[in-house]
Amino acid sequence: MTIRHLKIFTEVADAGSMSLAAKRLHISQPSVSQAVAELERYYGIKLFERLSQKIYLTEEGELMLSFSRHILDSFDQMEEAVDHAAKKTILRIGCSVSVGTCLINDILDKAEQKNPACEIRVVVANSSDIEQAVLCNEVDLGIVEGIIKSKELLVTPVCEDELVVVCGKNHELARKKSVILQQLKGQNYISRESGSTQRNQIEKIFEDQGLLLKKTFCSTNTEAIKNAVIKGRGIAIFSKMVVEKECEEGKIVILPLEGITVKRNINMVIHRNKFVSAGIEMIKEILLEDTAYYFSPPHTL
């Protein structure tokens, strides 16, 4: 078994086709088939099921693919480290929307000061997508808030975030000194995306309490949700740091929910099999040095 075998196997898995993998690798299809067959014989397993002229990864194939990606990544990083004088170091960072909006530019500024030769590429998406990107080695590390599901990821808490319920300055609840959950019942709700209850602790509280809201506006765009809130379209849930500027300007009001404070960690995540490069270590140092981290458990009903 060689690196060549793993490269061919991984390309077949990604392409979903022997012929397409051969085309991408600029080799013949028989060479691709032979390499996969040699791997299967070597380990005594079936990597692909071949059904109706299509191929599908078996459970053993899925397991091998997870290791193959990281072996190939480690191999590439080894070659980069050996030849670093001739190549520019590239670091891929994935971050959630809140982090991408409020924190990442300060992190990048400090990284550029520490290592100007390091080229950093940033992807901003929701936390679930970034978690998956780290697992698939599409990014080298993630900076996300909330709950990390995968046991394959190493999680380092770096700072604390608070979730808040907000409304526009002219909303009927805007001048309340205290708001109980039942006062939110039936309110128009501007949601970031569907299916986010598992990561949004306030939505989970609403669900547990049987509190029904009217989902009248849904967007993946933070600014679109802010503008809808400002225009009085309904209430929304935000990271406190994301709406800090609008709150200072008096455009958005944080509702003081009685007895409820929901805080969550912002975490740096990497795959447990990932080679910790100098670039990853640099970002970790920046995060731990420059963000004050306080552990305080969230208060829930």
Side-chain angles (χ1 to χ4, degrees):
M1 191 272 289
T2 65
I3 290 293
R4 176 179 177 274
H5 285 91
L6 293 181
K7 285 183 177 179
I8 292 174
F9 162 68
T10 303
E11 191 60 54
V12 171
D14 288 341
S17 162
M18 297 276 187
S19 57
L20 182 54
K23 185 177 180 180
R24 290 179 177 177
L25 294 169
H26 305 289
I27 59 177
S28 67
Q29 184 171 337
S31 296
V32 171
S33 300
Q34 181 182 351
V36 172
E38 288 172 353
L39 269 178
E40 290 179 328
R41 283 197 301 270
Y42 184 85
Y43 288 106
I45 59 174
K46 199 78 171 172
L47 296 172
F48 296 99
E49 291 284 358
R50 296 158 179 83
L51 304 172
S52 302
Q53 297 184 335
K54 292 184 179 180
I55 62 173
Y56 303 90
L57 278 169
T58 62
E59 287 186 13
E60 294 84 356
E62 293 278 5
L63 178 63
M64 176 167 279
L65 181 62
S66 67
F67 283 100
S68 179
R69 290 192 191 281
H70 293 288
I71 291 170
L72 292 175
D73 177 58
S74 295
F75 180 78
D76 289 342
Q77 294 216 25
M78 179 191 71
E79 289 200 323
E80 180 182 337
V82 171
D83 199 28
H84 68 89
K87 295 179 181 178
K88 192 172 186 179
T89 303
I90 296 174
L91 182 66
R92 303 165 301 167
I93 299 177
C95 56
S96 60
V97 174
S98 298
V99 174
T101 302
C102 302
L103 300 178
I104 193 62
N105 283 298
D106 288 339
I107 295 168
L108 294 178
D109 286 345
K110 291 179 172 61
E112 288 167 1
Q113 292 172 8
K114 285 179 176 285
N115 187 359
C118 183
E119 179 183 330
I120 300 179
R121 300 173 183 175
V122 176
V123 176
V124 179
N126 64 48
S127 294
S128 298
D129 289 343
I130 297 302
E131 181 175 341
Q132 191 59 38
V134 175
L135 286 169
C136 294
N137 197 42
E138 294 170 1
V139 296
D140 298 306
L141 65 95
I143 309 172
V144 298
E145 70 274 358
I147 300 166
I148 305 300
K149 296 181 181 179
S150 176
K151 303 301 182 184
E152 295 300 308
L153 299 183
L154 297 175
V155 180
T156 303
V158 293
C159 65
E160 196 173 69
D161 181 33
E162 182 178 355
L163 283 176
V164 293
V165 179
V166 301
C167 66
K169 64 179 182 180
N170 296 320
H171 193 278
E172 60 181 350
L173 298 176
R175 292 175 177 80
K176 297 283 186 182
K177 293 183 178 180
S178 180
V179 176
I180 61 174
L181 280 183
Q182 288 307 309
Q183 288 177 286
L184 302 181
K185 186 176 181 180
Q187 289 288 337
N188 290 341
Y189 177 46
I190 307 165
S191 62
R192 183 169 181 272
E193 58 190 16
S194 59
S196 62
T197 305
Q198 290 181 326
R199 289 183 180 273
N200 190 320
Q201 293 96 316
I202 292 184
E203 278 193 6
K204 188 68 169 61
I205 292 172
F206 290 170
E207 185 181 83
D208 291 344
Q209 295 297 310
L211 183 67
L212 297 179
L213 303 174
K214 297 178 185 176
K215 292 189 177 183
T216 57
F217 195 112
C218 181
S219 174
T220 58
N221 184 284
T222 301
E223 291 304 313
I225 298 175
K226 283 185 186 180
N227 289 334
V229 170
I230 291 170
K231 291 293 185 179
R233 306 291 179 202
I235 64 173
I237 299 171
F238 269 111
S239 160
K240 189 175 183 179
M241 62 184 176
V242 170
V243 293
E244 186 175 16
K245 179 174 178 290
E246 289 78 7
C247 289
E248 289 177 355
E249 294 172 349
K251 296 177 180 178
I252 287 178
V253 176
I254 295 174
L255 296 179
L257 294 184
E258 187 175 306
I260 298 175
T261 301
V262 177
K263 294 187 178 182
R264 57 186 182 174
N265 297 338
I266 293 178
N267 305 299
M268 172 179 154
V269 295
I270 64 171
H271 198 285
R272 63 173 61 254
N273 296 328
K274 184 76 175 176
F275 169 71
V276 181
S277 65
I280 293 176
E281 193 62 46
M282 173 183 68
I283 296 299
K284 183 177 180 179
E285 288 175 3
I286 290 171
L287 290 170
L288 294 177
E289 286 172 2
D290 297 336
T291 54
Y293 184 76
Y294 303 98
F295 286 98
S296 57
H299 179 92
T300 57
L301 295 180

